Amino acid sequence: MKSVRIGCIVGLCWVILAGCSKDRTESESESEYSRSDYWLSIPSSIDKSVDLFYLYPTAWMRTRDTDPVICDIDNTTMLKYSALAFARQADVFKTEANLFAPYYRQVDALYLLTLPQEEQDSVIGGIPKQDVLEAFDYYIKHYNQGRPFILAGHSQGSNLLLYLLAEYMKQHPDVYDRMIAAYVIGYSVTNRYFSANPHLKFAAGPDDIGVIVSYNTEAPEVGQPGNPVLIEGAIAINPINWTRDETPASREQNLGSIQLNADLSIVLDEDGEPVRIMNYADARINLSRGTVICSTANVDSLAPGSVLFGKGVYHSYDSPFYYFNIRKNAADRIAAYWSVH
C-alpha cells in the first residue's frame, strides 16, 4: 500500500532543534484537516480492511529559550523529521492496515519533560490535544468509512493518544467498539489512568481486543537523570511473549529487530525493506518500575544518556527492538477482532 507522505524524513524528538514558523490561533484549526498538507500520511488507495491512525513523537525543539514552546503545524523541521519516525514506527503496520497520520502542533520536549507532571498535563492538554482530537474526528467522519482501526503512537504521540482514548472514546462508544488495539508505546499508562477511565482496559495477552498496549524499554540499570516518560504506577506488557508478569523472553524468541542508521533512519535491504536482525533484544518486565528490561543490547552505543534521558533508557528503540513482534501481534489482534465481528 502506497501512502501520500507530506514532508521529508525525520529524526528523533530531542535530537533535532529548530524554531517555529508562523503563529496560528486555536480557532483556525477547526476545519484544517480537510487539507492534505495537514497529513503526514493519507493512503492513495484503500486496500486493507483495517486502518492505522498514528501520532509521531516529538520531532522539533526550540533553538532559543525565547521561542514559543509549541511549534506551528507547518514547522519545517517537524515536517521533515516526523517522517523518519513514521518509517520507524508506523510502517510496522503497513502489511495489515491503511496508514493515516496527521500533523499536529507539538511541545518542545526539553521544556515539557522538565515540568512537574500536572503542568505537563496542562500543556499537552491544550493545543496539541485540540489538534489530535480534531484530526481524529475528521478521520472518522471523512476517511474511516466504518472500518475497524488500530491506534499507535510513541512518546509525545502516545501521551496524546491517552487523551483521545479517555475523551473521544468515552463520548463515542460506537467508534471505540471498532478499535482493535491502541499501541501507546514510549509513554506511561498507569493504574491511576484506568481508575479515572473505567471504559478502557489494558492488554492481558497476545490477542485480546479493544485494549491498550504499552511499555517503555530500559537496560537493567538506568543512570541520571532517569527516565522522564516513566510515571509512577506504570503498567507494561512484554512485547515478545505478551505476558504481564516477569516471565523472561529470550532474544532467541524475538521475531526480529531492525537496525537504525546514525540519523535514526532504518537500514534497508536491496528491496527497500527493513533488514531483520535476529537474536538481538530480549525482554523482561520489571513490575516495580513498570518497564520492559532489555539486557542484551549495547547500552554504550544505543543509550549512552542525554540531557533528558539517563544512560540505559532505550527510548528510541521501543519499536525497533521488537519490530516484527509488533507486526505479528497486530495481525493476531486483527484476526481476533474479525473472529467476533
Side-chain angles (χ1 to χ4, degrees):
M1 191 258 327
K2 183 178 180 181
S3 293
V4 177
R5 303 220 185 136
I6 314 296
C8 307
I9 302 223
V10 255
L12 179 59
C13 46
W14 16 91
V15 195
I16 305 299
L17 305 176
C20 290
S21 44
K22 64 175 184 176
D23 291 330
R24 183 167 69 90
T25 64
E26 295 185 37
S27 61
E28 288 176 313
S29 71
E30 290 176 358
S31 61
E32 299 290 4
Y33 286 98
S34 62
R35 295 170 47 177
S36 63
D37 60 341
Y38 271 56
W39 291 85
L40 168 61
S41 179
I42 301 173
S44 56
S45 63
I46 301 299
D47 56 4
K48 306 290 192 304
S49 59
V50 170
D51 290 348
L52 174 80
F53 184 88
Y54 166 78
L55 298 177
Y56 51 85
T58 314
W60 158 86
M61 288 180 70
R62 296 180 294 168
T63 55
R64 299 179 300 271
D65 289 343
T66 54
D67 288 339
V69 297
I70 297 177
C71 78
D72 198 73
I73 205 161
D74 65 353
N75 178 271
T76 55
T77 299
M78 186 186 73
L79 299 186
K80 178 180 179 181
Y81 287 97
S82 57
L84 188 55
F86 184 99
R88 257 191 340 265
Q89 297 163 0
D91 269 358
V92 68
F93 300 96
K94 71 180 181 180
T95 56
E96 309 299 326
N98 312 299
L99 307 185
F100 292 87
Y103 289 119
Y104 67 92
R105 291 172 289 176
Q106 56 180 202
V107 188
D108 173 4
L110 186 58
Y111 167 80
L112 179 69
L113 293 175
T114 55
L115 294 175
Q117 189 61 50
E118 186 174 337
E119 293 182 36
Q120 290 187 40
D121 295 343
S122 177
V123 175
I124 281 285
I127 289 173
K129 182 186 80 169
Q130 171 197 316
D131 281 358
V132 166
L133 293 182
E134 177 68 25
F136 186 74
D137 188 61
Y138 189 88
Y139 154 76
I140 288 294
K141 292 177 178 176
H142 298 276
Y143 291 138
N144 176 255
Q145 303 298 314
R147 289 182 297 275
F149 59 89
I150 292 170
L151 301 178
H154 188 255
S155 197
Q156 186 169 164
S158 284
N159 191 348
L160 287 161
L161 282 182
L162 293 178
Y163 287 94
L164 178 61
L165 288 159
E167 298 181 20
Y168 195 96
M169 298 306 176
K170 184 176 182 180
Q171 296 167 3
H172 301 85
D174 58 322
V175 175
Y176 182 36
D177 285 343
R178 301 204 306 275
M179 191 189 84
I180 295 169
Y183 290 82
V184 183
I185 297 172
Y187 195 76
S188 293
V189 185
T190 66
N191 287 308
R192 182 179 178 184
Y193 176 80
F194 286 105
S195 295
N197 297 284
H199 63 289
L200 301 173
K201 55 186 176 180
F202 198 82
D207 58 3
D208 44 352
I209 58 176
V211 297
I212 295 175
V213 172
S214 182
Y215 62 88
N216 289 281
T217 315
E218 297 179 337
E221 301 292 333
V222 173
Q224 293 300 320
N227 190 342
V229 296
L230 187 60
I231 302 172
E232 184 177 356
I235 310 169
I237 193 166
N238 189 311
I240 297 179
N241 61 22
W242 301 102
T243 65
R244 289 178 52 184
D245 59 26
E246 294 188 333
T247 302
S250 70
R251 57 186 175 183
E252 290 78 17
Q253 292 174 271
N254 192 325
L255 298 180
S257 308
I258 59 171
Q259 185 177 353
L260 302 182
N261 295 305
D263 65 352
L264 298 180
S265 62
I266 299 175
V267 176
L268 302 175
D269 63 21
E270 58 185 13
D271 297 319
E273 293 298 319
V275 174
R276 188 184 302 225
I277 307 299
M278 301 302 296
N279 305 321
Y280 186 75
D282 66 356
R284 175 182 59 82
I285 290 178
N286 181 329
L287 287 175
S288 63
R289 283 181 66 80
T291 59
V292 165
I293 303 302
C294 177
S295 65
T296 55
N298 188 326
V299 67
D300 291 322
S301 63
L302 300 185
S306 68
V307 66
L308 274 178
F309 291 92
K311 181 177 181 178
V313 180
Y314 289 119
H315 191 64
S316 303
Y317 295 89
D318 286 325
S319 294
F321 278 175
Y322 310 109
Y323 189 91
F324 289 97
N325 299 277
I326 295 171
R327 175 169 287 181
K328 182 179 185 302
N329 185 250
D332 290 344
R333 294 187 193 276
I334 289 170
Y337 177 91
W338 288 122
S339 72
V340 296
H341 289 82

